[in-house]
Amino acid sequence: MIETPVLICGGGPAGLALSIHLSRLGIRSMVVNDRPKTTSHPRLDVVNCRSMEIFRQLGLSEQIRANGNPVYANQYSAAAASASGPFYTVMCNRHIIYQPVQEANARIRACTDGSLPLEPMQRISQMYLEPVLYDHACQDPNIDVKFGYFLFGFEQDQEGVTALVRKPGTDENFHVRSSYLVGCDGPHSRIRNFLSIDYDGTRDLIGELFIIHFRSREAASLFPKGEPYWHTAISRPGFFGLLVSPDASRDDFVLHRPFAPRPGQRLEDIIDTALGAKVAYEIVQSGPWRPQFLVANEIGRGRVFLAGDATHLYMPTGGLGMNTGLCESHNLAWKLAACLKGWGGSRLLETYQEERLPIARRNRDHVKKCAAGIFEFQFGVSPQILEEGPAGGAARAEAGRLYEAKVSRMYESLGIEIGYRYSSSAIFPDENASAPYEEIVYHPAPVCGARLPSIFREDGTALLDQVALDGFTLLALGSNANGVDSMQAAARNASVPLSVLHIREPAICRLLEQRYVLVRPDQHICWHGSEIPQDCARILNVVRGAQ
Amino acid sequence: MTLFPRLRLRIMLSLAPLLVNRAAKHSSRLKYLLETAPGAIQVIAGKKPVGFFRVEQGAFRWKRGVHPAPSFTQAWKTPRSALRVLTSKDETDILRASEAQELSMSGSFLTAIWFNEVMLIARANPAKSPEMIRRDPMTGQVT
């Protein structure tokens, strides 16, 4: 019997990020994955701003950027008749999201009101993201990576989980005893099935779409500076499609179509139509797939938890599949570590579902609206769009306007990415947090449950970088915030790691409004106040799930 | 020539509420969908209105004619193409028809997704639909 504190089933981004995060907190884990290698499919094409902030906290953001779209390259989204044009619009300057990482970083550094994320998004495909995480996990002595093995079954009791792990096609199997089991094992999660937890939505609402992955050196030449746009929505009479370049420095392209080719129809003809020019390419793979809008009814039971696609399955419009999964891992990791180290209260792990399930549902609704926007754009394209003369010009201008109106929400929703707020028994109620928050626009709000707004200190350090990964951080704001001793004493008594950060900068004090702000390891505010109350042990008991 | 397909189309669409309202008695999800219905769905064929779906007091209804402010509109080139696609077992036919310009759609596609979910549940065979597999946790056997 192998013993490990946490057994993670599934070695995709959510599972590997969870294992790395746990290791950063000093917790060993084993990652079991059916596939012997990381994915060879492009799959996701973006690590969003919040996920990049999480990777920054784990010390991985630079490696991920080094393996993705170059920092000088565009992250544009365009609408066109084909990749050769005419282009109806190119969304490049209307939001920070589209800007090359180095330009976006400059804007972020100059931002003083907390309205921007700490990290820009990163255009990268999953097939190049996973190896970064995998290599990192393999080199980490706290992580036992077992790719090419699958979890055959498990049972849980009061003290832990016993699982049987097998190597497919062989007699090799072994038992693993862990304190916790986390299923990051994708849409067909065995863990979720074993727990008899189903998704809550109706499947196949859009039907069956089709994807073609091809490689071409020459296709880049169709774009200005030889730098393919991130997304090119192709729409003209008789043809719809979305051409994705997950990384402008690589040859990979993905063409999404609303249906599979008819028998006898050649994939090459479809690609040629999308590109609008004859260039050389190699088709790597193609096949149908079914977009979904599903969220699991529960995301944990007892000592077993779910994260990633096991909890939610979204159409990729809005890029929230893996990115929601990473936030789930991020929420879960510190809670597992706290419980394993003894300072997490008995209710702390219950708050994982309380906090994350509403976000999964909210993200699902957003993704559905984004999908609707794409279809509405396609339907609105005029039959005259390719005509020469004023009528055609007007139709193309209208298509550009329609694309920006309908599709921009898919990219520009910082409210969804960094504005989400948790509500649970481990977060103090905040009357300012009850107001609905927007999906598109992010308003930095220093309310309980929200992510701490990102702002830079006078010495250039990012405030988010100063939030402790392995415990709570008490921000003491202003020259009068001196009453932290009682909170530190209460933390010592409860063995809760607590760092205190004294902040004098007026801009930060104005932004955060309160004199004291308590921030969790996942960078979310869990309590704030103008005074440290006498019974501050109660505050710590609530936020560590012990009350 | 087009009269007969139009009549068939109208009869077919007018039967949908029977299916939906009967299924709603057994499906809490469908009941919820009917309670949270968006606006009307207008169907047009051959440039003439066929009718529209709407929800009234929690019941799914079909009415002939034109809705003054539909939430979503399907405009078919001909009643024949509407009949062919709407009775097809190939779920991709509707988007193929759209690309082939046999069908134009306008309004909120969220309403179209809502309608699709309503019809999927109404037509579902409960014995086949759940993906969930129950297994013994240690042996992995389907129980």
Side-chain angles (χ1 to χ4, degrees):
Chain A
M1 177 95 74
I2 299 172
E3 293 195 358
T4 187
V6 182
L7 175 61
I8 298 166
C9 181
L16 289 169
L18 177 61
S19 69
I20 293 166
H21 194 159
L22 287 168
S23 175
R24 296 282 192 274
L25 299 171
I27 303 294
R28 288 182 299 113
S29 65
M30 176 188 286
V31 181
V32 171
N33 191 63
D34 308 25
R35 286 178 283 117
K37 292 179 181 171
T38 54
T39 185
S40 58
H41 296 264
R43 301 180 72 173
L44 70 88
D45 59 22
V46 59
V47 178
N48 75 17
C49 301
R50 181 59 185 148
S51 297
M52 286 306 296
E53 287 181 346
I54 290 171
F55 282 132
R56 177 183 176 120
Q57 196 187 25
L58 299 180
L60 295 169
S61 56
E62 285 181 17
Q63 275 174 275
I64 288 167
R65 293 215 189 273
N67 278 269
N69 193 48
V71 294
Y72 57 79
N74 80 76
Q75 313 202 107
Y76 300 166
S77 172
S82 76
S84 304
F87 280 83
Y88 313 139
T89 188
V90 181
M91 295 198 287
C92 49
N93 288 322
R94 50 176 280 149
H95 196 278
I96 191 171
I97 286 295
Y98 308 109
Q99 295 184 319
V101 167
Q102 62 187 19
E103 287 177 27
N105 262 331
R107 272 186 66 180
I108 286 169
R109 297 294 300 192
C111 175
T112 56
D113 63 2
S115 63
L116 292 179
L118 176 56
E119 287 279 338
M121 61 154 256
Q122 177 63 45
R123 181 177 158 188
I124 185 172
S125 81
Q126 192 164 336
M127 59 195 280
Y128 298 113
L129 170 67
E130 278 189 9
V132 176
L133 303 176
Y134 175 80
D135 291 346
H136 208 89
C138 287
Q139 289 162 19
D140 190 323
N142 277 334
I143 306 171
D144 187 0
V145 180
K146 293 210 175 297
F147 269 48
Y149 290 82
F150 74 102
L151 185 137
F152 189 77
F154 69 89
E155 62 183 16
Q156 60 172 319
D157 52 51
Q158 292 294 315
E159 278 79 42
V161 182
T162 303
L164 180 62
V165 174
R166 276 197 174 166
K167 192 172 180 67
T170 71
D171 294 335
E172 186 185 340
N173 61 60
F174 53 88
H175 283 93
V176 181
R177 178 70 177 168
S178 60
S179 297
Y180 300 101
L181 168 65
V182 186
C184 302
D185 50 345
H188 304 293
S189 168
R190 288 170 65 83
I191 311 276
R192 198 187 68 241
N193 282 338
F194 284 140
L195 293 173
S196 298
I197 296 171
D198 201 359
Y199 288 128
D200 72 354
T202 305
R203 290 170 174 75
D204 301 336
L205 295 182
I206 301 280
E208 189 174 89
L209 310 185
F210 195 78
I211 190 169
I212 306 167
H213 172 203
F214 63 97
R215 290 205 176 104
S216 172
R217 280 193 186 282
E218 295 178 15
S221 66
L222 302 174
F223 295 86
K225 296 193 291 180
E227 194 180 272
Y229 298 151
W230 177 28
H231 288 169
T232 306
I234 295 163
S235 186
R236 65 169 186 265
F239 193 88
F240 301 151
L242 176 68
L243 183 67
V244 177
S245 159
D247 181 338
S249 67
R250 296 186 193 263
D251 302 338
D252 297 286
F253 289 86
V254 175
L255 178 60
H256 292 270
R257 287 276 293 150
F259 40 76
R262 288 284 195 206
Q265 189 179 11
R266 296 167 66 240
L267 293 178
E268 287 81 354
D269 294 338
I270 296 171
I271 295 171
D272 292 347
T273 306
L275 296 179
K278 197 73 189 163
V279 298
Y281 53 78
E282 166 207 1
I283 296 173
V284 183
Q285 53 201 336
S286 65
W289 65 286
R290 291 179 165 273
Q292 307 291 0
F293 306 100
L294 303 171
V295 175
N297 288 312
E298 298 169 64
I299 58 174
R301 199 175 287 165
R303 292 177 167 273
V304 183
F305 300 92
L306 303 171
D309 286 358
T311 73
H312 59 266
L313 201 49
Y314 303 147
M315 190 166 177
T317 43
L320 286 173
M322 180 212 68
N323 289 299
T324 302
L326 281 174
C327 291
E328 287 163 354
S329 292
H330 192 237
N331 183 291
L332 184 57
W334 73 271
K335 293 175 181 173
L336 289 173
C339 290
L340 286 162
K341 289 179 175 176
W343 60 266
S346 58
R347 297 204 56 207
L348 185 60
L349 284 166
E350 292 171 18
T351 65
Y352 170 59
Q353 175 163 310
E354 288 172 38
E355 293 173 4
R356 287 304 313 178
L357 202 50
I359 305 298
R361 290 178 179 144
R362 175 182 162 86
N363 287 359
R364 182 244 309 264
D365 292 345
H366 174 73
V367 162
K368 210 184 255 188
K369 288 178 201 167
C370 292
I374 278 272
F375 282 103
E376 287 165 17
F377 159 69
Q378 301 278 19
F379 302 152
V381 169
S382 162
Q384 298 172 302
I385 201 152
L386 295 181
E387 286 181 11
E388 291 183 6
R396 288 189 288 279
E398 173 59 15
R401 190 202 60 75
L402 193 64
Y403 189 72
E404 295 193 18
K406 298 282 187 188
V407 183
S408 58
R409 69 172 298 128
M410 195 162 96
Y411 306 101
E412 299 173 10
S413 299
L414 284 182
I416 282 283
E417 286 186 31
I418 59 175
Y420 59 92
R421 295 179 197 161
Y422 293 145
S423 173
S424 76
S425 57
I427 289 175
F428 276 79
D430 187 331
E431 58 186 32
N432 296 325
S434 57
Y437 53 101
E438 291 182 44
E439 292 180 11
I440 311 286
V441 180
Y442 167 65
H443 299 286
V447 297
C448 293
R451 158 192 160 282
L452 180 70
S454 175
I455 191 162
F456 291 90
R457 304 204 60 187
E458 277 177 357
D459 67 359
T461 310
L463 182 59
L464 282 175
D465 286 343
Q466 297 190 312
V467 171
L469 182 66
D470 60 352
F472 292 92
T473 304
L474 180 63
L475 308 182
L477 296 134
S479 53
N480 297 324
N482 299 316
V484 298
D485 295 354
S486 56
M487 186 74 100
Q488 286 177 307
R492 275 193 301 275
N493 286 341
S495 302
V496 175
L498 176 74
S499 313
V500 175
L501 198 56
H502 290 279
I503 294 171
R504 300 278 187 269
E505 292 93 325
I508 303 180
C509 296
R510 272 196 306 277
L511 177 65
L512 299 183
E513 295 171 2
Q514 301 281 344
R515 189 173 293 165
Y516 299 99
V517 176
L518 188 60
V519 185
R520 310 195 309 187
D522 61 1
Q523 302 172 330
H524 281 255
I525 298 168
C526 52
W527 172 84
H528 58 61
S530 55
E531 302 291 337
I532 302 279
Q534 278 196 326
D535 183 16
C536 54
R538 184 179 153 268
I539 293 173
L540 290 174
N541 283 340
V542 167
V543 299
R544 70 187 179 96
Q547 188 162 315
Chain B
M1 210 36 203
T2 58
L3 182 65
F4 190 52
R6 176 174 293 278
L7 186 61
R8 284 172 58 202
L9 177 64
R10 188 174 290 156
I11 291 169
M12 186 189 78
L13 294 172
S14 68
L15 292 175
L18 285 175
L19 191 69
V20 171
N21 293 325
R22 191 177 58 185
K25 290 178 185 161
H26 309 289
S27 165
S28 56
R29 174 69 185 165
L30 188 45
K31 227 174 278 177
Y32 170 78
L33 286 170
L34 294 179
E35 283 165 10
T36 56
I41 296 160
Q42 176 77 56
V43 181
I44 295 169
K47 295 185 179 169
K48 290 182 188 167
V50 183
F52 57 89
F53 292 109
R54 69 176 172 190
V55 175
E56 288 175 347
Q57 294 169 335
F60 196 61
R61 304 273 185 231
W62 165 257
K63 200 167 180 212
R64 285 174 61 175
V66 186
H67 190 278
S71 173
F72 180 72
T73 301
Q74 273 189 357
W76 295 91
K77 204 166 186 178
T78 65
R80 193 180 295 278
S81 56
L83 260 180
R84 181 182 60 74
V85 172
L86 293 176
T87 56
S88 168
K89 287 184 178 167
D90 183 347
E91 62 194 334
T92 67
D93 273 351
I94 201 151
L95 288 175
R96 289 181 197 278
S98 174
E99 187 177 85
Q101 298 174 76
E102 286 180 66
L103 163 66
S104 68
M105 295 188 254
S106 58
S108 167
F109 196 69
L110 283 175
T111 304
I113 296 174
W114 173 90
F115 180 67
N116 202 21
E117 183 169 7
V118 166
M119 295 310 296
L120 279 171
I121 297 173
R123 288 192 298 238
N125 176 352
K128 287 181 185 170
S129 59
E131 179 208 73
M132 195 159 56
I133 307 160
R134 290 175 194 274
R135 291 174 191 270
D136 180 283
M138 289 313 291
T139 65
Q141 296 294 309
V142 176
T143 57

